[in-house]
Amino acid sequence: MTEDKAVCALAALAHAQRLQVFRLLVVAGPEGLTPSVMADRLGVARNALSFHLKELAHAGLTSVEQQGRNLIYRANYLHMNDLLGYLTEHCCQGVACDVDASGAACAAC
């Protein structure tokens, strides 16, 4: 992942409602969700949700597919994992990093 793509993805997630939408899509899994279901679950106006979905799609964090009359949005797990990889690429000073059960990284971190 390039620095520009990482900045774009992080900027898209740097808004509370977009972060909530993205997390909801991650939990929904590969089946995805329609905008109306997301709006109901999050208590967000549909027109506001549309704006946030556009921003997440522009950043490559979501995909959209037309199924009949419905749009199905899904988290783009590949892009999400690429972003996480970019953020942790130099963790532990380039040495393989082990994370223990408490979530603490190795001593080099």
Side-chain angles (χ1 to χ4, degrees):
M1 171 170 283
T2 65
E3 183 176 275
D4 289 343
K5 287 183 179 181
V7 168
C8 184
L10 291 170
L13 293 172
H15 185 282
Q17 285 187 332
R18 282 195 291 273
L19 184 58
Q20 290 171 0
V21 169
F22 184 70
R23 291 183 71 201
L24 183 64
L25 290 172
V26 168
V27 171
E31 296 80 29
L33 295 170
T34 64
S36 59
V37 169
M38 286 186 275
D40 290 344
R41 288 190 186 171
L42 296 172
V44 178
R46 290 184 183 161
N47 59 342
L49 180 63
S50 175
F51 170 77
H52 295 309
L53 288 168
K54 180 181 147 224
E55 291 295 312
L56 290 169
H58 175 72
L61 292 166
T62 61
S63 64
V64 61
E65 176 186 354
Q66 179 101 29
Q67 284 188 355
R69 298 178 69 183
N70 294 317
L71 293 174
I72 306 296
Y73 284 86
R74 295 177 181 88
N76 181 341
Y77 294 99
L78 180 60
H79 198 67
M80 178 186 75
N81 289 333
D82 284 349
L83 177 60
L84 292 171
Y86 177 84
L87 293 173
T88 59
E89 184 175 16
H90 299 292
C91 169
C92 300
Q93 302 167 3
V95 179
C97 181
D98 292 327
V99 177
D100 64 22
S102 71
C106 66
C109 294

